[in-house]
Amino acid sequence: MIDILATLSASAAAGIRIGIPLLIIGLLHGGQLWSKVPLLAHISPSVLLGFFSIWSLLELFASKKRLGQRVLQIFELLLSPIVGAIMGLAVSSTTSAPNWLIACIGGLLALVFQLVQVGWFYRLRGLPLWAVFLQDFLCVVLVLFAFNAPWPGGLITFALLWFAIHSAKQWYDWYWQYRRQRSEARY
């Protein structure tokens, strides 16, 4: 159970940001860096360190402006399922579940969280600065919890999943309210 919560926590972090979790997970492995991470173990650690450092800085600074948020969302929406799968596999080492199942669950969870961010971005016409700082904080906390305290990380992930479901219901209600108002305005 603890391994599942750690996997969910790491995949949720990948659903918030993609470069920061990969950088943190590499640094937490110490001198081995990404040698235990699937797919990344075959790439030179110095190249990965440079790339993830630059990408993390780009995420941290570009996400504070509306145009930067929009550009980052394109890449994060496309890459979050892959990074979520990688993060899930990197954290789950002792689980008896097949790797493909862990990768699918991690990738789907990351995609759901990324879709919720895109939805709120378009609903609010840009995320407020406090929400962006909260995303950065949650991303770092979820990765650290995935390794050191899976229970709180899993609970935070389930709270975020509840928020995602609640957001989808709210958007559904807004959509039907808008359609009802449009149809009444025609007559």
Side-chain angles (χ1 to χ4, degrees):
M1 182 69 172
I2 294 205
D3 205 30
I4 293 170
L5 293 174
T7 301
L8 292 176
S9 180
S11 298
I16 298 172
R17 298 274 186 252
I18 58 175
I20 296 170
L22 288 171
L23 179 64
I24 292 173
I25 204 169
L27 295 175
L28 286 176
H29 278 109
Q32 298 173 346
L33 292 176
W34 293 274
S35 64
K36 296 180 182 178
V37 180
L39 298 176
L40 300 179
H42 306 293
I43 302 172
S44 169
S46 58
V47 171
L48 289 174
L49 183 63
F51 179 74
F52 291 143
S53 297
I54 291 170
W55 187 259
S56 297
L57 288 173
L58 181 70
E59 281 181 333
L60 287 174
F61 292 115
S63 65
K64 306 309 183 260
K65 300 286 184 192
R66 189 171 166 197
L67 178 63
Q69 289 174 0
R70 188 173 291 192
V71 171
L72 280 175
Q73 281 178 352
I74 294 168
F75 292 106
E76 289 177 347
L77 192 59
L78 294 173
L79 296 175
S80 65
I82 297 166
V83 175
I86 289 171
M87 292 290 291
L89 289 171
V91 172
S92 79
S93 57
T94 61
T95 188
S96 60
N99 285 343
W100 66 268
L101 183 62
I102 294 168
C104 286
I105 291 171
L108 286 174
L109 184 67
L111 180 63
V112 165
F113 287 165
Q114 197 57 237
L115 286 171
V116 168
Q117 288 182 66
V118 170
W120 278 110
F121 174 82
Y122 285 107
R123 180 70 183 151
L124 299 174
R125 291 177 172 61
L127 294 175
L129 196 56
W130 65 266
V132 175
F133 281 117
L134 181 64
Q135 287 176 331
D136 296 336
F137 175 75
L138 276 174
C139 179
V140 172
V141 165
L142 285 171
V143 173
L144 294 176
F145 278 171
F147 285 101
N148 300 327
W151 280 102
L155 290 176
I156 292 171
T157 301
F158 284 124
L160 290 173
L161 194 56
W162 173 84
F163 178 72
I165 293 168
H166 183 70
S167 295
K169 172 148 179 21
Q170 195 171 15
W171 295 331
Y172 180 80
D173 293 343
W174 282 332
Y175 172 75
W176 283 108
Q177 181 182 8
Y178 173 74
R179 282 197 57 168
R180 197 172 326 119
Q181 288 173 351
R182 269 187 73 185
S183 66
E184 289 173 0
R186 287 185 190 171
Y187 300 112

